[in-house]
């Protein structure tokens, strides 16, 4: 059917392009956390802090809606203090005071 519609196919997966795009799609949150995880092992402490600060500043601006969003202060604390800190994230669930903002 995809061939009948003259859809392009993804060479790596063999899927029609729209299906491959949907399969590979990830949220900004997932992308940013993966970026932190990739950079963390080789980054100095100062560089890690800079990455976390930058992502914690940009992420709220990329939210599609403000419905159910915690206060700016709570969201920044959750992003900077847990989400964009690989060591803390790998240690387990977020602290109680950040858990609601992380959700």
């Amino acid at each position: 059917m995809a061939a009948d519609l003259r859809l392009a196919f993804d060479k790596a997966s063999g899927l029609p392009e729209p299906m491959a795009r949907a399969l590979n799609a990830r949220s900004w949150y997932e992308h940013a956390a993966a970026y932190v995880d990739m950079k963390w092992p080789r980054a100095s402490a100062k560089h890690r802090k800079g990455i976390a600060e930058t992502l914690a500043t940009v992420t709220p601006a990329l939210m599609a809606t403000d419905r159910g969003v915690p206060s700016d202060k709570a969201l920044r604390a959750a992003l900077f203090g847990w989400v964009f800190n690989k060591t803390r994230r790998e240690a387990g669930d977020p602290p109680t005071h950040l858990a609601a903002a992380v959700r």
Side-chain angles (χ1 to χ4, degrees):
M1 179 159 181
D4 294 338
L5 295 174
R6 298 184 186 268
L7 293 176
F9 283 80
D10 178 64
K11 291 179 183 178
S13 67
L15 294 171
E17 195 271 333
M19 291 176 72
R21 195 173 340 122
L23 180 66
N24 294 326
R26 63 181 172 178
S27 69
W28 167 256
Y29 178 91
E30 293 166 329
H31 175 74
Y35 177 79
V36 168
D37 292 350
M38 180 211 37
K39 291 298 228 177
W40 203 262
R42 292 172 298 286
S44 68
K46 193 170 189 174
H47 188 70
R48 290 174 181 175
K49 182 180 179 186
I51 291 169
E53 285 177 344
T54 301
L55 292 174
T57 300
V58 170
T59 298
L62 298 174
M63 298 181 115
T65 180
D66 59 359
R67 184 176 179 188
V69 174
S71 70
D72 291 343
K73 185 177 179 180
L75 183 57
R76 181 162 179 80
L79 292 171
F80 182 76
W82 191 80
V83 174
F84 299 135
N85 184 313
K86 183 179 184 210
T87 304
R88 291 182 185 158
R89 210 173 350 101
E90 287 181 344
D93 293 334
T96 316
H97 69 285
L98 299 178
V102 170
R103 269 194 309 280

